[in-house]
Amino acid sequence: MIKVHHLKKEFFDKKGGKIEAVNDINFHCLKSQIFGLLGPNGAGKTTTLRILATMMKPTAGEALVNGYQVVKEAHKVRQSIGFLSGETGLYDRFTPRETILFFGRINGLSEKLISTRMSDIFKILDMESFKDVRVDKLSTGMKQKLSIARAIIHNPPILILDEPTAGLDVITARVVVNYIKEFRNQGKCIIFSTHQMAEAEKLCDEIAIIHKGKILSSGTLAELQAKFQEQDLEEIFFKLVKVKAEGEV
């Protein structure tokens, strides 16, 4: 469902020169699988997901989403995905109900189907109490719930989620995590970024540890534990980052 080959993204800064935000990474994510990009802020997670969501063009390499090339077939990629990012703004003057109605329509859903899916999603994410409140009056957690609802209203086969539990309280975060698991059970391909070790351990079938634009290691949790002789994912992460840092000039 998602295949990434030698993907690179470079930026040029007047002061810092060339910045390699994503540096020759490779991975794939299959149907009925949750693939996690685990790393600190600035590791290249968001840049990678934005490339997969066709919001940014790579400098080099290739990425296929649902069999479509993210650059040459961007329109078909967008039809196949639900994308959640903290950088994707909401309309302040809309209510959650109006927001979901709007995005359901632009995704070609019938009014009846929008109504049905909206009702189901609002119940699952506990949004009934603020569905008619303007976005500019919502809390951070409420806005995050709405962003998730917007990403899944059209029932896409692939979900690209950039830190989906950011800003949520513990109870709501658990609901979201369970919902992501249910999507996997439905056969969806899910890729998401996180810097939370526990979240990666609970959710991911495969984990790629990314740091300074490079994937340092990847595999199932069991494979990473066996490879690095550590049971704690946090210890594995810091062992990898420390080795990387010591090897840098």
Side-chain angles (χ1 to χ4, degrees):
M1 299 289 279
I2 296 176
K3 295 181 180 180
V4 172
H5 302 286
H6 301 292
L7 195 67
K8 293 185 178 183
K9 181 60 181 179
E10 297 175 350
F11 296 98
F12 291 88
D13 182 78
K14 291 182 180 179
K15 294 182 179 180
K18 184 174 71 174
I19 299 171
E20 295 179 324
V22 176
N23 189 356
D24 196 29
I25 66 173
N26 300 274
F27 64 84
H28 62 272
C29 182
L30 306 176
K31 183 178 180 181
S32 300
Q33 185 181 55
I34 300 176
F35 185 92
L37 283 175
L38 174 65
N41 292 335
K45 305 186 303 296
T46 293
T47 299
T48 299
L49 297 189
R50 286 174 66 84
I51 290 172
L52 295 178
T54 75
M55 298 184 70
M56 186 180 289
K57 292 184 179 181
T59 303
E62 182 181 50
L64 299 174
V65 176
N66 205 22
Y68 302 118
Q69 297 182 43
V70 296
V71 176
K72 296 181 179 179
E73 300 171 289
H75 179 67
K76 291 182 178 179
V77 170
R78 292 182 195 123
Q79 292 177 332
S80 303
I81 66 171
F83 179 53
L84 169 69
S85 171
E87 298 176 4
T88 305
L90 297 167
Y91 297 100
D92 283 345
R93 298 191 176 212
F94 276 12
T95 65
R97 187 204 298 270
E98 291 167 339
T99 300
I100 299 307
L101 181 60
F102 174 77
F103 280 92
R105 286 171 175 169
I106 65 174
N107 278 288
L109 304 185
S110 68
E111 299 293 311
K112 182 177 180 181
L113 183 56
I114 293 171
S115 178
T116 300
R117 285 193 54 77
M118 187 190 306
S119 178
D120 290 343
I121 292 168
F122 282 5
K123 286 179 182 177
I124 290 170
L125 294 178
D126 192 23
M127 296 174 60
E128 290 287 341
S129 64
F130 60 88
K131 63 185 178 182
D132 292 312
V133 178
R134 277 181 27 160
V135 167
D136 60 358
K137 304 296 183 183
L138 301 180
S139 68
T140 300
M142 291 173 179
K143 289 179 181 178
Q144 184 71 343
K145 287 184 180 182
L146 176 55
S147 293
I148 294 168
R150 180 181 62 180
I152 62 179
I153 183 61
H154 56 303
N155 197 25
I158 297 171
L159 292 177
I160 300 173
L161 310 175
D162 191 4
E163 307 227 4
T165 61
L168 300 182
D169 60 70
V170 175
I171 295 174
T172 305
R174 185 181 179 89
V175 170
V176 171
V177 166
N178 289 337
Y179 200 33
I180 292 172
K181 289 179 181 178
E182 177 58 29
F183 266 111
R184 174 181 56 194
N185 295 339
Q186 293 174 12
K188 296 186 187 300
C189 169
I190 303 164
I191 180 170
F192 83 102
S193 71
T194 184
H195 61 269
Q196 298 183 31
M197 308 295 165
E199 193 168 87
E201 287 178 330
K202 289 179 182 178
L203 274 177
C204 298
D205 300 295
E206 294 264 350
I207 300 169
I209 297 175
I210 186 170
H211 180 60
K212 294 187 176 180
K214 288 190 174 184
I215 290 180
L216 305 185
S217 190
S218 63
T220 64
L221 178 59
E223 288 171 345
L224 292 172
Q225 289 170 333
K227 182 177 180 180
F228 296 99
Q229 296 297 297
E230 293 280 359
Q231 290 301 303
D232 192 329
L233 182 59
E234 184 173 308
E235 291 301 318
I236 294 171
F237 173 80
F238 282 110
K239 181 179 286 190
L240 274 167
V241 172
K242 183 179 179 181
V243 170
K244 173 66 176 175
E246 289 178 348
E248 291 173 351
V249 179

